[in-house]
Amino acid sequence: MKRSMVYLVGAGPGDPRLITIKGLECIKKADVIIYDYLVNVDLLKAAKPDAELIYVGKQGGAHTLEQDEINELLVKKAQEGIVVTRLKGGDPYVFGRGGEEALVLRENQVPFEVVPGITAAIATPNYAGIPVTHRNYTSTFGLITGHEDPTKDESSIDWAKVSTGIGTLTFYMGIKNLPYITEQLMKHGRSKDTPVAVIRWGTTAQQKTVIGTLDTIVEKARHIRPPAITIVGEVVKLRDQLNWFETRPLFGKTIVVTRSREQASEFADQLSEYGARVIEFPTIEIAKPDAIQPLDDAINNIHSYHWLVFTSINGVDSFFQRLFELGNDIRDLKGIKLCAIGPATEEGIKKYHIRVDCRPPKFVAESVVEELKKVTAIQGESFLLPRADIARSFLPEELRKLGGTVTDLVAYKTVMAQPGDTNLAEKIKNGEVHIVTFTSSSTVRNFVQIIGEKNIASLNGHVRYASIGPITTETAEELGLPVTIKAKEYTIPGLVNAILESTTSVSG
Ligand code: SAH
């Protein structure tokens, strides 16, 4: 039998990048991952493709499995002689029942290791602008459960000592009991004017912070639902100066990315870095062309071409993937010049360690022709354009008019993606989405198809549309989507800039 191992891993407080390197390694090597409600599911993307993912979350009263069932499951899986990663929110030993799980593993002679995580009481105040200790304010910091049953005769919390004996107090799971907690603290000598912060979904793009004092916070935080943590103490005042996270330019904005899943991440990452909450709603999938023979023929006769012109990164990747599949390599491209429509396509080509000979300053087909004219005759030269099935005919037509020989072939096709989030239209109407972004005409067309042509008009006024360039904008407006955010430079960074400008101008 293989050696079994259970890793009890702290996934951190919400921001997936706050997991430890060791924790991430445990996700990567797991055969089974058993994870909780508070674990950011983005972390599961790092798992092996065939890893079994088991959700055992307990959200308020709704438990998928009771704790002893979770314990049993851990032991049972481990006894199969595999690597089990038990992923828990924050730190596994801070109010996470990690101690109980470890004891059960020990009783059953299952080997285990425990990987610490950043706990909510440390991370979420930080992301709300609150250092939990500071020399001028407090030298003590306590982590307390707020989950105690207030009707119990004997409290396991010594309220008299806690109230005045510790500077910064943090309460986990204390939202329901907030009236009881604040009452106990004031009753036992903590000033009613002590500042208090309640932070919900801390360290995520949905973070919400409410500030008050011991005697006002119950009223002010009445709309806050779990999961939230409560911080009591003078350090809360530092938020006025140290609130770095919620003041990022796109914080509080929800932005939809409609690109294909493969291409979404670079764009989504940039938006997230500015604080946006990103919903990936891929409208496109990239697939092999229906007929691959024309591409194969072109690759086999590659030396009959003077120029290889790429108008998208998908064109680049599809071309090279096929080139390699046919047993060729980049030496076969010797002597052939390459043109890229824009910087992203150029980067895509550079990945294959090839220099680009021509790249126009403006990233549309019109500009490709202008730039090619500057560097080559066109007349009498032959061009290979590995493109999408739905690419515009402008470029090949123009090159032909100028005397070039053009092979315009389908290197990949774009198909409509299966809708990921079936509730998107509802979310838009409810005001939960602020901006929908389009990075090509086909993202617009497919978005309209997925949402339903007849429903599009009802979204107007509830959301803003952002477009990467003039062709995409034209398609959107033809289909009844008013574009108010337009990239000045027709690239992803250009689109990000336009979004940044549009949000700062609105909020003054
Ligand atoms: N082991 C976890 C705590 C589990 S108890 C840790 O170390 O953080 C669950 C409680 O943790 C929640 O009720 C809430 O009070 C707090 N919590 C966890 N993640 C949080 C987050 N992102 N924002 C606010 N509170 C959080």
Side-chain angles (χ1 to χ4, degrees), residues 304-307 309 369 372 378 380-387 392-409:
S304 61
Y305 298 99
H306 298 102
W307 281 92
V309 181
V369 177
L372 275 170
I378 299 188
E381 305 211 313
S382 88
F383 297 84
L384 177 62
L385 278 57
R387 305 199 298 161
R392 295 164 61 217
S393 57
F394 176 85
L395 185 56
E397 277 171 10
E398 214 50 27
L399 290 171
R400 279 184 196 121
K401 270 191 222 157
L402 294 166
T405 316
V406 180
T407 306
D408 179 22
L409 54 79

Side-chain angles (χ1 to χ4, degrees), residues 142-458:
L143 285 69
I144 304 159
T145 174
H147 193 48
E148 241 198 3
D149 182 356
T151 59
K152 247 187 357 189
D153 290 343
E154 277 286 295
S155 172
S156 57
I157 298 171
D158 187 336
W159 287 102
K161 286 186 178 149
V162 159
S163 300
T164 53
I166 305 175
T168 304
L169 302 171
T170 53
F171 292 91
Y172 288 75
M173 305 169 285
I175 289 307
K176 216 172 96 210
N177 277 344
L178 199 56
Y180 169 74
I181 293 166
T182 50
E183 186 197 301
Q184 290 300 314
L185 292 174
M186 289 187 284
K187 197 166 107 190
H188 290 93
R190 196 75 180 234
S191 159
K192 68 175 180 34
D193 299 320
T194 312
V196 182
V198 172
I199 306 161
R200 177 168 201 254
W201 279 126
T203 78
T204 73
Q206 288 144 278
Q207 174 170 311
K208 174 124 185 67
T209 306
V210 178
I211 302 292
T213 57
L214 273 182
D215 66 342
T216 64
I217 195 69
V218 170
E219 169 60 17
K220 287 192 168 159
R222 68 185 183 284
H223 300 303
I224 299 282
R225 301 278 164 268
I229 194 152
T230 304
I231 294 100
V232 178
E234 298 301 315
V235 284
V236 170
K237 290 180 180 158
L238 287 163
R239 170 176 163 86
D240 291 343
Q241 295 160 73
L242 302 181
N243 185 7
W244 61 272
F245 181 74
E246 293 170 21
T247 51
R248 293 173 309 158
L250 297 180
F251 184 80
K253 296 273 180 284
T254 300
I255 302 181
V256 172
V257 170
T258 55
R259 313 189 94 181
S260 69
R261 202 172 293 286
E262 298 76 24
Q263 285 192 298
S265 61
E266 178 212 349
F267 185 26
D269 286 350
Q270 291 186 28
L271 295 171
S272 315
E273 272 171 32
Y274 287 110
R277 174 173 173 230
V278 177
I279 299 182
E280 284 188 25
F281 185 77
T283 54
I284 290 185
E285 268 171 32
I286 307 300
K288 281 216 153 92
D290 294 331
I292 197 90
Q293 198 57 46
L295 178 61
D296 289 359
D297 290 345
I299 290 175
N300 290 330
N301 292 310
I302 198 74
H303 277 285
S304 61
Y305 298 99
H306 298 102
W307 281 92
L308 245 174
V309 181
F310 289 108
T311 52
S312 74
I313 197 158
N314 291 319
V316 175
D317 286 333
S318 314
F319 176 84
F320 281 99
Q321 196 187 337
R322 194 62 193 162
L323 182 86
F324 301 143
E325 277 171 7
L326 293 178
N328 301 314
D329 63 38
I330 52 173
R331 289 172 298 182
D332 295 296
L333 300 183
K334 185 162 168 50
I336 300 167
K337 293 210 165 77
L338 270 79
C339 174
I341 194 166
T345 309
E346 181 174 4
E347 281 310 308
I349 295 173
K350 280 189 182 159
K351 264 194 338 221
Y352 299 98
H353 307 288
I354 304 175
R355 181 169 42 80
V356 166
D357 303 283
C358 170
R359 197 202 86 197
K362 282 184 112 185
F363 317 130
V364 288
E366 286 74 357
S367 170
V368 173
V369 177
E370 287 312 305
E371 198 65 16
L372 275 170
K373 272 205 257 178
K374 287 187 201 157
V375 296
T376 187
I378 299 188
Q379 167 76 35
E381 305 211 313
S382 88
F383 297 84
L384 177 62
L385 278 57
R387 305 199 298 161
D389 54 338
I390 48 162
R392 295 164 61 217
S393 57
F394 176 85
L395 185 56
E397 277 171 10
E398 214 50 27
L399 290 171
R400 279 184 196 121
K401 270 191 222 157
L402 294 166
T405 316
V406 180
T407 306
D408 179 22
L409 54 79
V410 180
Y412 67 98
K413 66 173 182 180
T414 56
V415 294
M416 197 166 80
Q418 288 304 314
D421 182 344
T422 42
N423 275 329
L424 188 65
E426 276 316 300
K427 284 187 184 151
I428 293 176
K429 281 190 224 161
N430 294 338
E432 291 168 46
V433 173
H434 303 95
I435 299 170
V436 175
T437 60
F438 297 115
T439 44
S440 67
S441 288
S442 40
T443 59
V444 181
R445 280 191 218 100
N446 291 358
F447 178 80
V448 170
Q449 279 235 7
I450 294 171
I451 297 289
E453 233 167 288
K454 59 181 191 319
N455 301 324
I456 285 293
S458 68

Side-chain angles (χ1 to χ4, degrees), residues 83-103:
V83 175
V84 180
T85 290
R86 169 74 175 114
L87 206 53
K88 303 171 81 71
D91 181 274
Y93 279 176
V94 179
F95 303 123
R97 306 191 71 164
E100 291 164 55
E101 292 177 12
L103 284 169

